[in-house]
Amino acid sequence: MSGGLYTWTRLGHPMASRGVSPLVGVLCLLVVTVALAATVVVTVPVGSVPEHTVATFDAAADPTGEIRVTHTGGDVIDPETLDIRIRVEGEPLAEQPPVPFFSARGFESAPTGAFNSAAATAWRAGETASFRTAGTNAPPIDPGDTVTIRLYADDYNIAELEVTA
């Protein structure tokens, strides 16, 4: 049949060659859509990654109850963001130091460095801060005890130090 309304293919079905075009068009649109979505995901940040304090420390504890922490390197630390937790032989102190402080229950007054609210401005590398637990704070630090000191800045754990008294 020539000049007819339908085009016949080798298979004998009308419009079989036209049925491929819409399928190719849909597949092309799908590929373009996926490519655009991937580009948007790569260029638009989902959320910001918080920047945390990075610093190194050294510590010492002795049976008199004195705990010293030296900032040995890294970021400057704002004492107002600092939190410290002490454990003796795995048991937390009954009273934890409210850093920075001057006089606090469970501690002798006049901590030094960044732990002292009157002196604390910024804790820089090379500076040591210390405090002494009072005899009323438990458990006591005995010779040979393991003392664990955890430092937090803005509720982010920046160091865990373990020393022997």
Side-chain angles (χ1 to χ4, degrees):
M1 281 201 323
S2 64
L5 192 57
Y6 297 106
T7 302
W8 291 90
T9 65
R10 286 188 353 225
L11 299 174
H13 297 289
M15 298 185 4
S17 63
R18 288 193 208 178
V20 173
S21 295
L23 180 61
V24 170
V26 168
L27 287 175
C28 286
L29 283 175
L30 184 61
V31 168
V32 168
T33 302
V34 168
L36 286 174
T39 302
V40 169
V41 168
V42 169
T43 57
V44 177
V46 175
S48 62
V49 176
E51 293 185 28
H52 297 293
T53 301
V54 178
T56 56
F57 302 88
D58 193 18
D62 62 51
T64 65
E66 184 179 23
I67 295 174
R68 294 176 305 283
V69 181
T70 302
H71 184 317
T72 57
D75 294 339
V76 173
I77 298 171
D78 177 3
E80 294 295 325
T81 67
L82 198 58
D83 192 22
I84 188 168
R85 293 290 169 248
I86 308 295
R87 296 177 85 83
V88 178
E89 290 293 311
E91 186 178 337
L93 284 178
E95 301 290 334
Q96 296 289 335
V99 175
F101 70 99
F102 183 76
S103 179
R105 184 178 186 169
F107 298 90
E108 293 183 8
S109 61
T112 66
F115 299 157
N116 187 315
S117 59
T121 55
W123 197 10
R124 291 176 165 56
E127 297 177 344
T128 298
S130 69
F131 57 85
R132 186 179 308 272
T133 59
T136 57
N137 205 343
I141 300 174
D142 295 321
D145 281 352
T146 299
V147 178
T148 304
I149 304 155
R150 287 191 180 137
L151 294 170
Y152 300 86
D154 289 322
D155 298 323
Y156 179 74
N157 188 351
I158 59 172
E160 183 170 323
L161 308 161
E162 201 168 89
V163 297
T164 303

